[in-house]
Amino acid sequence: MTGNDTQLEHVRPAIRASWQRSRQAGVNPAARRLPTVWTPEEVERRCHQHAQLLEAGGEAIARLSQRFPIGAFFAALLDKEGTLLDVSVPPQGRDTQADINGFPGAGEQEHLIGTNGAALALYLDRPYVMHWYEHYAEVGHQWGGGVAPIHSACGEILGAFGISAFQAEAYAHTLELVTAVATFIERRIHQFEELAHFEVLQEFNRYLLKFPDSPLLALCPHGRILALSRAMAKLVPLRSPESLIGRFLREVWDFHFEGLLPPSDTSSESSKPYESFLLFPQKEKSCKAAAIPVSREGHEAGLVVIASSPQHSVPQKATRLMWETTHT
């Protein structure tokens, strides 16, 4: 991007804004390769973490290749940050893939490589089609294609799917195509998530039978409340505590967890219960809580949280942390 920003009035607004952010981030416009973000070990770990996304994406790409010649496009799955998880490349494209470092673990984040389809689709949270010189860095100047975000059943962005062609414009129906594939992937993932939620609710009911008078919560991996016990409902000063079901913890102001990590942020090997604290700042009460990870087929399905009886006097530090967390 050269010249004054006033000369960019004919550039699409989203592209223009992304160019400006890229420049402010200090991205090198002459970059011809994608940056490596993950080590091979990290790639393996992240791929295990995103196994369901990769399984659904692999199925989608296989079906896509049956309808379109596989040599006509590159297909990619990315995580929600914009790092490549998997890349499907036609045989004649192997050298091009190597030239641009288009392998799992390479990043397409805007602040690293500038304006590109994946970065914009994730930033705008909608499908987006990119053309050659709309890319900020040279690495994208001979590519055209589209990318669509992929969402969980909770509406959280899980990643993105994209197709692109080298030395060719984006296909006429690229937007519709990537949107359809992303929708297919989402439906498959939602099926996985429904089974995972069922697993968590089974564990919740099992612990509810063992601790009928304890405050219990069931959470999905994204922090959405799936169920709560009567004892937990009594602690929440709401007319309809059941209204908490389906809400995210970050949206709840009446209580707050300190030390509770979403399952997706924990190691896949961490399946043992760990201690957390449940805080009720309005009542100036707190209590210890045991967070119990629930897994399904070797992957985190969610959490069951069992709290002890609340005690008065919330620690000052904990109250301050809660206030800062919920008011920033």
Side-chain angles (χ1 to χ4, degrees), residues 52 73 76 83 127 139 142 183 195 231 253:
Q52 293 177 350
F73 60 85
T83 305
V139 66
Q142 298 187 70
T183 300
L195 293 173
W253 295 74

Side-chain angles (χ1 to χ4, degrees), residues 19 70 73 90 123 133 136-137 146 161-162 195 200 241 305:
W19 281 356
I70 190 65
F73 60 85
Y123 180 83
Y133 286 95
Y136 184 83
F161 170 81
L195 293 173
V200 175
V305 183

Side-chain angles (χ1 to χ4, degrees), residues 43-94:
V43 170
E44 183 177 356
R45 188 181 74 82
R46 296 294 184 116
C47 286
H48 176 78
Q49 180 181 340
H50 293 89
Q52 293 177 350
L53 175 60
L54 287 166
E55 181 180 341
E59 183 179 347
I61 292 173
R63 293 193 176 198
L64 187 63
S65 64
Q66 292 174 358
R67 296 186 57 188
F68 298 90
I70 190 65
F73 60 85
F74 288 59
L77 278 171
L78 305 96
D79 76 346
K80 64 181 180 181
E81 304 299 333
T83 305
L84 290 171
L85 290 169
D86 189 26
V87 185
S88 177
V89 180
Q92 65 270 30
R94 301 297 183 189

